[in-house]
């Protein structure tokens, strides 16, 4: 079963549609665009979804941050600010990607 999932990219119906990679590319392009306008919101979005690379902007305390409260405090933000920036980032990305 695992081999079939890997080979078919979890598309068992034979139908298909566009590969998931295209969606990932659209999301990444939207996040990169967001970075130009609100870098903090883009970083928070990446942190929330685990799409961060170890770098200078990612504090070590994020390694053990599991809740939004933990993540906000690791970044030196209030929970309210963290959630507001996350909501802004989610909306921005959602408005820029097209699902076909």
């Amino acid at each position: 079963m695992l081999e079939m999932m890997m080979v078919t990219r979890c598309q068992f119906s034979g139908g298909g549609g566009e590969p998931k990679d295209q969606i990932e590319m659209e999301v990444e392009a939207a996040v990169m665009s967001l970075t130009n306008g609100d870098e903090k919101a883009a970083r928070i979005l990446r942190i929330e979804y685990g799409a961060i690379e170890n770098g200078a902007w990612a504090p070590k305390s994020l390694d053990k941050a599991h809740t939004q409260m933990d993540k906000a405090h690791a970044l030196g933000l209030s929970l309210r600010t963290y959630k507001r920036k996350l909501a802004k980032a989610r909306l921005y990305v959602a408005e820029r990607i097209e699902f076909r």
Side-chain angles (χ1 to χ4, degrees):
M1 180 64 133
L2 180 59
E3 181 181 342
M4 184 177 184
M5 290 171 66
M6 291 184 336
V7 169
T8 64
R9 302 183 131 192
C10 298
Q11 295 181 4
F12 298 96
S13 66
E18 293 189 16
K20 301 278 188 250
D21 293 337
Q22 179 63 34
I23 293 171
E24 290 176 16
M25 289 188 326
E26 289 179 20
V27 169
E28 180 60 26
V31 174
M32 292 300 292
S33 175
L34 174 61
T35 301
N36 293 329
D38 191 343
E39 186 175 351
K40 191 174 284 188
R43 287 179 179 176
I44 288 171
L45 185 72
R46 289 183 187 282
I47 289 166
E48 185 66 20
Y49 291 101
I52 58 171
E53 297 177 13
N54 291 334
W57 63 268
K60 283 284 188 195
S61 53
L62 277 174
D63 293 342
K64 296 182 181 183
H66 299 290
T67 66
Q68 287 184 343
M69 176 72 82
D70 294 338
K71 294 170 188 174
H73 287 301
L75 295 170
L77 302 171
S78 69
L79 179 59
R80 183 174 180 201
T81 298
Y82 182 91
K83 286 184 173 188
R84 188 180 64 238
K85 292 284 189 178
L86 179 59
K88 176 184 178 179
R90 285 176 174 160
L91 180 62
Y92 186 93
V93 171
E95 288 176 344
R96 279 153 185 80
I97 59 175
E98 295 179 25
F99 291 101
R100 296 178 183 134

